[in-house]
Amino acid sequence: MPVHDVVIVGGGGAGLRAAIAVTETDPSLEVALVSKVYPMRSHTVAAEGGAAAVIKDHDSFENHIFDTISGGDWLVDQDAIELFVNEAPNELVQLEHWGCPWSREPDGKVAVRPFGGMKKERTWYAADKTGFHMLHSLFQTSLKYPGIVPYDEWFATTLLIHDGRCQGVAALEQRTGRVEVIAGRSVIICTGGAGKVYPFTTNGAIKTGDGMSMAYRAGVPLKDMEFVQYHPTGLPGTGILITEAARGEGGILVNSDGYRYLQDYNLGQPLDVSDSNHPVKKSMELGPRDRLSQAFIHEQRKGRTIKGKFGDVVYLDVRHLGEKIIDQKIPFVRELASKYAGIDPVHEPIPVRPVLHYFMGGIDTDKTGSTSLPGLYAAGEVACVSINGANRLGSNSLTELLVFGARAGRAAAQFALEQSPTELAPLRKQVVDEDERITKSYLTKEGGTERISTIRTEMRDTMEDGAGIYRSEEGLKNTCNKLAELRDRFSNISLDDRSLTYNTELISVLELDAMLDVAEAVAHSARARKESRGSHQRTDHPVRDDDSYLMHSMAYKGDGAPKIDYKDVVITRWPPGERVYGQEQAE
Amino acid sequence: MSNSGLQPTIDLEVYRYRPEQQAEPTYDTFTVPLRDEWVILDALNYIKDELDGSLSYRWSCRMGVCGSCGMMANGEPVLTCAAFLKSYAPGSIRVEPLANFPVARDLIISMDDFMEKMNRIQPWIITDEEKPLEEGEYLQTPDQVDEYKQFSMCINCLLCYSACPIYGMEPSFIGPAAIALAQRYNLDSRDHGQETRMDILSTDDGIWQCTFVGECSEVCPENVDPAGAIQRYKVTSTNDWWKSKLLPWTSKQ
Amino acid sequence: MTYGRYQKYHPWLYEPRFPILWWIKKWAYIRFILREMTSLAVVFYAVVLLLYVNAVSDGPEAFAAFTAWLKSPLSISLHAVAFFFLVFHSITWFNLAPKAMVIHIGAKKVSGSVILAMNYLTWVVVTVGLFWLLTF
């Protein structure tokens, strides 16, 4: 039967945590877990460094809250971050009980490591494959619940809305090509971010913003989309992530002169790597990601980066840690650098450059994960609560999956219990239309001339040009125009593959359609925000402007360009202030 | 390998199976640029983007951790995101779907069998009584983590099933990755499900099918050593059997 | 609805046949088959032993005839081949032993090479012991 109680789209960390939360709220509820890939392929798998939660005595909730708010340049909703920080330890302990192989102290307690922008060490980790272990632990645990029904390799194409509320999705089964109803009394979107909108990203092929686009088309606003995070240390060429844990364990960043250039960018003074206080938290290499990526661009302009085969790089040097620590704490860094950069970090510095990593923005939700559309919830990278504000701190997102995945799961379960049983007939009718739309637009269409890869490449390039680390009115205007042109050309697209069984080209075109929506929301939101805050840096408006823009931007899908509106940030106890890094020694 | 102009190239002979058009598989040959930094997956993406959009295969992370892109390259199971073109040049590369699995389309195999087996071995922490969250984490020393850590590294890429002739001959065999995963939980100090899993794994479809070819461990990209996991299981199972015969009062039944 | 499609194309899986000559595809597979074949050498020794016991029970003439056969070139070459396979069998199995045996001393795992060495040491001790028993 295609009728369930709750439908979850996305089988990554947030989706799995939500599914378990639904079934634990009421075991009689049936959850459809719809995922375009087998859940263990979801991109949570690639997260490396760790998940933040306060457990050590020398730390406090207050510290974690303040670090996150200042890290997010005060665009963080303070009520949300407060409950997030409070619920984080229990969620990580829960995952421990479900078998996650956290790295341990000699006495058997969970170990923590320092991370960028965090005043105390509070990042739980499983060596440097934390996301992999969290995802597999969640997925394997989810198998024990009979109430979770898998729809593996089903691609959700649109939300089904009837009676003013969201009641399921239309989804395409990849192995057969059929489009079916998957109905439920509530729906949770957990499809992750959209890094593939950019040319150079740590994100996997599957991160194409499908869920963001589905909600956006249904009239739900996308919040703070202009805030995209560049991770300062990706491998050149491939964009493969070299985890922040490499710096948390003591790795340093140097330019072409072997100089620790971060000291020139208001991030504190370096201590020698042999100093027992190195690395200093919230200082130098442990500054926040936005500031580190921006520093790279300045170094590049000064000509102090190193020319590589795939563009300019700086060096991430971990040699002083020694082989033993490297193999114990960051073995994956060694494996990736050896395999994909051809260097052994034990003996050579790793060439790195900033690479697109994460979307702070997403579907506008409240603290329970609910959206403006009744019955529709969202959690994880796809959602924007917002606890990440204008710049996310590393290791908050894995915890976010759990805290807000669970919250959305419980809220969606409760909502489902309060609704009357699903009427299938009106939903079926919508799915017939959706099937026809897909068939006519792509499978039986004649005469198109555009290739997917051409439009996709042009979209990515214009995003990097106009909506990259530094932005300006002129660049954003060009990007917005280019995106409008690409949207137009998209209607003239043509597929080589007209078959039904695993038509991966059809999936690619549906993904491209979604990415164009997301790109448009990013570019237009960025153009409208005439200030610099966190990861959104405008060369024509270089300072933060709290009077006009201490607000979340809300992008609504329009007929042409999106409509950009604003919504207040929740400020409770922490009034906007300066972001200060590198001052720890002075305190 | 041929040299057209400045850019060297390499040929890929790619397995094609389009069930709506053909009853038997065929091979298509594509010539792609031979770049130092390209892996087989990059070549497949080049083919799909530039030459033939109808080629189907699975991929995502292209950094060896999502487990999607396992295929046969010149008869060997590999992760195509970690198999560099240059290591095959000169000469062509025959790219085929993972051996020993039914093929759904081109380079895409059916994973149904593995998913069922993985579920069957109950890969989750089994406890008699759950500790309340307020009491915090279970203590586990680094040595205790090391006991099972290796077996927890499996990315479910299924290369081991493709390398296992026993699975090829007897598809009912539970197989390397699933048994290694069972061991991962058995050896975890938080788990008490060993006996439950033993009932599933000491059957004819379980560990005793394995004749220790050992190739599963050779092809494993994560050094999980499923062959080792299975042999350890055999020892445990044998010990249990002797114990139940010689010291019947010690067994729990 | 689109059920028509579903029935038409599902499940059209192509199931390749497992090749009979799978084992010649890779040196590792050939080595595996050879290791499995070494069991024939074990059978050969078992049969020889049974014939030996039988010869002893049949009296001195039969025993003499049997020992004479043992000294024949055919018997010696068969023994040479069997011996080679038995050594191959023992070595391959010993090399696999660390995978099956995981021994702890306190909280620490004993390394594979130590387990391997212990196996070989035991082999040598037993061989020397038997040799001593037989020659003493």
Side-chain angles (χ1 to χ4, degrees):
Chain A
M1 267 300 277
V3 180
H4 308 274
D5 297 301
V6 179
V7 176
I8 297 178
V9 186
L16 290 164
R17 183 64 190 88
I20 296 173
V22 171
T23 191
E24 290 203 329
T25 300
D26 184 341
S28 73
L29 291 175
E30 196 175 82
V31 190
L33 186 62
V34 184
S35 177
K36 70 173 171 176
V37 290
Y38 280 92
M40 66 274 189
R41 313 301 188 207
S42 307
H43 203 64
T44 306
V45 82
E48 297 173 14
V54 173
I55 43 158
K56 298 293 173 190
D57 291 339
H58 70 297
D59 200 0
S60 70
F61 287 169
E62 185 88 12
N63 280 336
H64 190 183
I65 293 168
F66 186 75
D67 286 346
T68 308
I69 292 172
S70 60
D73 222 350
W74 271 270
L75 204 66
V76 172
D77 278 352
Q78 300 186 356
D79 55 342
I81 188 62
E82 211 166 338
L83 70 87
F84 166 78
V85 165
N86 278 291
E87 291 176 16
N90 257 7
E91 277 298 330
L92 293 192
V93 169
Q94 175 66 79
L95 205 60
E96 194 278 334
H97 288 198
W98 285 337
C100 187
W102 297 115
S103 293
R104 305 285 178 148
E105 305 281 3
D107 65 359
K109 288 192 177 139
V110 167
V112 290
R113 65 163 41 130
F115 236 68
M118 300 276 195
K119 189 176 176 182
K120 302 285 180 191
E121 47 280 72
R122 61 171 74 96
T123 297
W124 301 36
Y125 60 99
D128 55 355
K129 283 198 177 172
T130 312
F132 162 79
H133 285 296
M134 285 177 58
L135 181 70
H136 280 248
S137 300
L138 280 167
F139 177 57
Q140 288 158 15
T141 301
S142 80
L143 296 173
K144 80 175 174 186
Y145 297 97
I148 301 174
V149 181
Y151 281 82
D152 295 332
E153 299 195 324
W154 284 67
F155 185 94
T157 66
T158 192
L159 297 173
L160 303 178
I161 299 162
H162 178 62
D163 240 0
R165 60 188 170 92
C166 186
Q167 301 202 38
V169 294
L172 187 152
E173 186 188 35
Q174 296 185 56
R175 74 166 77 181
T176 60
R178 67 175 168 148
V179 178
E180 252 290 15
V181 178
I182 304 176
R185 286 171 286 165
S186 56
V187 174
I188 314 175
I189 298 182
C190 304
T191 53
K196 281 288 170 186
V197 166
Y198 285 81
F200 187 62
T201 172
T202 61
N203 286 194
I206 56 177
K207 294 197 65 187
T208 50
D210 319 324
M212 290 179 180
S213 160
M214 265 200 297
Y216 185 54
R217 284 178 210 168
V220 178
L222 298 181
K223 185 161 77 189
D224 292 340
M225 291 299 282
E226 63 273 37
F227 297 101
V228 295
Q229 177 166 78
Y230 279 77
H231 194 291
T233 60
L235 290 182
T238 56
I240 287 171
L241 172 68
I242 298 298
T243 174
E244 193 161 304
R247 284 171 281 130
E249 297 297 340
I252 56 170
L253 285 169
V254 297
N255 65 15
S256 54
D257 303 327
Y259 173 70
R260 289 173 70 186
Y261 60 92
L262 293 176
Q263 60 190 294
D264 296 352
Y265 302 96
N266 209 9
L267 285 158
Q269 288 303 311
L271 289 182
D272 192 80
V273 292
S274 61
D275 193 301
S276 62
N277 289 319
H278 171 80
V280 177
K281 287 172 268 294
K282 284 184 86 166
S283 171
M284 289 297 293
E285 285 84 3
L286 290 182
R289 291 175 179 172
D290 55 341
R291 301 277 294 273
L292 265 60
S293 293
Q294 290 153 18
F296 173 89
I297 301 292
H298 290 291
E299 285 296 295
Q300 192 177 30
R301 285 180 188 159
K302 289 176 191 164
R304 301 202 296 191
T305 48
I306 301 120
K307 292 251 174 291
K309 189 172 172 189
F310 306 101
D312 296 336
V313 297
V314 288
Y315 285 132
L316 170 63
D317 194 346
V318 296
R319 287 176 292 182
H320 54 280
L321 301 180
E323 188 167 10
K324 200 173 157 214
I325 296 286
I326 290 173
D327 283 347
Q328 188 192 340
K329 297 286 183 67
I330 46 172
F332 197 34
V333 167
R334 188 175 186 187
E335 183 190 325
L336 291 172
S338 310
K339 204 181 280 170
Y340 295 103
I343 64 107
D344 182 351
V346 172
H347 305 294
E348 291 160 275
I350 311 167
V352 293
R353 56 158 285 189
V355 47
L356 191 110
H357 186 54
Y358 187 86
F359 272 62
M360 270 70 75
I363 300 170
D364 172 40
T365 72
D366 68 7
K367 289 169 287 183
T368 62
S370 60
T371 70
S372 59
L373 175 62
L376 182 69
Y377 297 77
E381 190 180 349
V382 74
C384 180
V385 179
S386 162
I387 63 155
N388 298 315
N391 170 60
R392 177 177 71 83
L393 291 191
S395 77
N396 268 348
S397 64
L398 284 179
T399 313
E400 182 182 2
L401 300 175
L402 302 172
V403 170
F404 289 99
R407 291 182 76 86
R410 289 191 291 266
Q414 203 51 46
F415 185 90
L417 288 167
E418 290 158 6
Q419 307 305 312
S420 50
T422 303
E423 277 180 80
L424 199 52
L427 305 180
R428 279 236 152 104
K429 199 183 156 302
Q430 291 182 35
V431 170
V432 171
D433 294 345
E434 177 66 358
D435 188 15
E436 198 178 291
R437 178 186 76 87
I438 292 168
T439 307
K440 283 191 176 158
S441 311
Y442 308 117
L443 293 179
T444 57
K445 186 176 133 191
E446 295 300 328
T449 53
E450 294 282 355
R451 272 193 89 75
I452 294 174
S453 59
T454 316
I455 294 185
R456 198 167 54 198
T457 306
E458 289 182 30
M459 170 195 70
R460 288 172 178 169
D461 290 344
T462 194
M463 288 302 283
E464 187 72 37
D465 289 345
I469 295 179
Y470 281 97
R471 301 149 176 197
S472 68
E473 169 60 25
E474 200 200 338
L476 284 163
K477 190 174 130 196
N478 289 341
T479 297
C480 290
N481 291 341
K482 179 73 183 179
L483 289 171
E485 175 210 315
L486 292 175
R487 175 50 83 188
D488 207 40
R489 283 165 54 192
F490 180 81
S491 57
N492 191 29
I493 212 153
S494 170
L495 267 58
D496 293 347
D497 192 350
R498 306 300 175 104
S499 68
L500 296 167
T501 314
Y502 280 109
N503 186 337
T504 50
E505 198 185 23
L506 176 61
I507 298 299
S508 297
V509 82
L510 294 169
E511 288 174 337
L512 179 58
D513 193 6
M515 286 194 285
L516 286 169
D517 280 344
V518 172
E520 167 191 279
V522 172
H524 285 267
S525 302
R527 195 176 171 192
R529 185 177 285 274
K530 295 180 169 46
E531 65 155 354
S532 289
R533 183 187 296 273
S535 67
H536 173 71
Q537 293 292 313
R538 292 274 303 244
T539 51
D540 47 351
H541 301 280
V543 289
R544 197 172 89 188
D545 177 1
D546 285 345
D547 293 338
S548 311
Y549 292 105
L550 184 56
M551 284 189 292
H552 298 297
S553 34
M554 310 281 274
Y556 292 86
K557 177 102 181 138
D559 280 338
K563 184 172 136 282
I564 308 294
D565 205 348
Y566 293 93
K567 176 178 161 182
D568 285 340
V569 176
V570 179
I571 305 278
T572 58
R573 294 197 280 134
W574 295 272
E578 281 300 308
R579 296 172 77 194
V580 179
Y581 294 99
Q583 299 296 313
E584 190 123 290
Q585 302 100 307
E587 274 179 22
Chain B
M1 190 178 71
S2 61
N3 242 313
S4 56
L6 288 173
Q7 178 71 58
T9 59
I10 189 165
D11 286 349
L12 263 66
E13 286 172 60
V14 183
Y15 181 104
R16 302 302 304 265
Y17 173 62
R18 285 150 293 202
E20 295 153 54
Q21 295 161 29
Q22 55 190 125
E24 292 285 325
T26 52
Y27 288 86
D28 283 351
T29 301
F30 299 98
T31 302
V32 304
L34 174 61
R35 300 205 175 123
D36 270 2
E37 69 280 8
W38 270 17
V39 291
I40 293 177
L41 181 59
D42 293 316
L44 294 175
N45 285 338
Y46 175 85
I47 294 168
K48 188 164 184 69
D49 287 349
E50 309 296 333
L51 307 176
D52 183 351
S54 74
L55 180 65
S56 280
Y57 48 94
R58 293 185 177 108
W59 73 291
S60 177
C61 79
R62 53 94 180 85
M63 58 190 276
V65 69
C66 79
S68 308
C69 70
M71 295 169 209
M72 307 300 280
N74 289 347
E76 290 283 332
V78 295
L79 287 182
T80 51
C81 70
F84 285 84
L85 294 179
K86 64 184 175 197
S87 65
Y88 296 87
S92 60
I93 310 173
R94 177 169 276 221
V95 185
E96 295 165 305
L98 282 178
N100 301 341
F101 290 97
V103 182
R105 160 84 192 257
D106 295 344
L107 300 165
I108 297 175
I109 52 143
S110 166
M111 300 218 348
D112 293 352
D113 184 54
F114 173 72
M115 296 307 285
E116 184 279 319
K117 283 170 177 162
M118 175 164 155
N119 208 336
R120 200 194 310 171
I121 55 105
Q122 307 195 6
W124 51 79
I125 296 277
I126 297 174
T127 50
D128 307 327
E129 205 181 333
E130 274 188 33
K131 177 167 153 175
L133 292 182
E134 299 72 52
E135 290 175 24
E137 75 264 43
Y138 290 95
L139 296 183
Q140 198 166 56
T141 63
D143 284 336
Q144 285 175 314
V145 175
D146 281 345
E147 280 302 305
Y148 68 89
K149 185 81 193 229
Q150 182 180 25
F151 300 134
S152 76
M153 303 304 283
C154 172
I155 60 173
N156 305 155
C157 65
L158 308 188
L159 302 193
C160 54
Y161 284 78
S162 276
C164 175
I166 309 301
Y167 181 66
M169 284 181 276
E170 287 294 336
S172 64
F173 176 38
I174 292 174
I179 298 177
L181 186 60
Q183 272 295 42
R184 174 253 174 274
Y185 282 95
N186 286 339
L187 297 172
D188 190 320
S189 59
R190 296 166 290 193
D191 179 79
H192 297 99
Q194 291 91 333
E195 284 183 41
T196 315
R197 291 188 202 100
M198 187 61 89
D199 291 343
I200 302 158
L201 284 166
S202 60
T203 59
D204 288 346
D205 291 339
I207 48 175
W208 300 110
Q209 281 275 1
C210 170
T211 49
F212 208 166
V213 181
E215 277 302 284
C216 52
S217 296
E218 293 298 319
V219 301
C220 178
E222 302 295 323
N223 299 316
V224 170
D225 192 12
I230 299 172
Q231 307 328 307
R232 286 181 68 177
Y233 228 119
K234 288 180 185 168
V235 174
T236 318
S237 173
T238 309
N239 288 348
D240 283 2
W241 187 86
W242 280 107
K243 246 195 212 162
S244 71
K245 297 296 165 202
L246 298 175
L247 311 163
W249 57 90
T250 61
S251 63
K252 280 187 184 163
Q253 275 87 359
Chain C
M1 216 48 240
T2 44
Y3 289 107
R5 273 179 181 182
Y6 178 61
Q7 281 157 4
K8 189 169 173 193
Y9 297 119
H10 182 74
W12 278 15
L13 295 173
Y14 179 73
E15 309 230 14
R17 266 222 298 244
F18 193 71
I20 295 169
L21 293 179
W22 63 272
W23 53 274
I24 59 166
K25 284 188 172 174
K26 220 170 165 181
W27 168 236
Y29 292 155
I30 296 173
R31 203 169 52 212
F32 161 73
I33 288 292
L34 279 178
R35 195 187 74 210
E36 295 293 291
M37 302 273 276
T38 56
S39 56
L40 292 177
V42 179
V43 170
F44 169 76
Y45 270 122
V47 171
V48 168
L49 189 66
L50 286 173
L51 290 175
Y52 189 86
V53 172
N54 188 47
V56 170
S57 71
D58 283 356
E61 280 142 51
F63 182 73
F66 186 73
T67 42
W69 178 78
L70 280 181
K71 288 173 187 162
S72 71
L74 174 69
S75 160
I76 287 171
S77 43
L78 276 176
H79 272 83
V81 173
F83 182 72
F84 170 78
F85 274 112
L86 271 185
V87 170
F88 185 80
H89 183 95
S90 309
I91 290 174
T92 48
W93 275 110
F94 277 2
N95 290 349
L96 297 174
K99 296 213 170 199
M101 295 169 71
V102 174
I103 299 170
H104 290 90
I105 294 176
K108 288 282 166 204
K109 261 192 215 174
V110 177
S111 87
S113 47
V114 173
I115 292 177
L116 200 58
M118 294 296 290
N119 270 291
Y120 278 106
L121 191 69
T122 314
W123 191 21
V124 170
V125 168
V126 170
T127 309
V128 170
L130 277 176
F131 190 76
W132 180 79
L133 262 181
L134 293 172
T135 53
F136 187 65

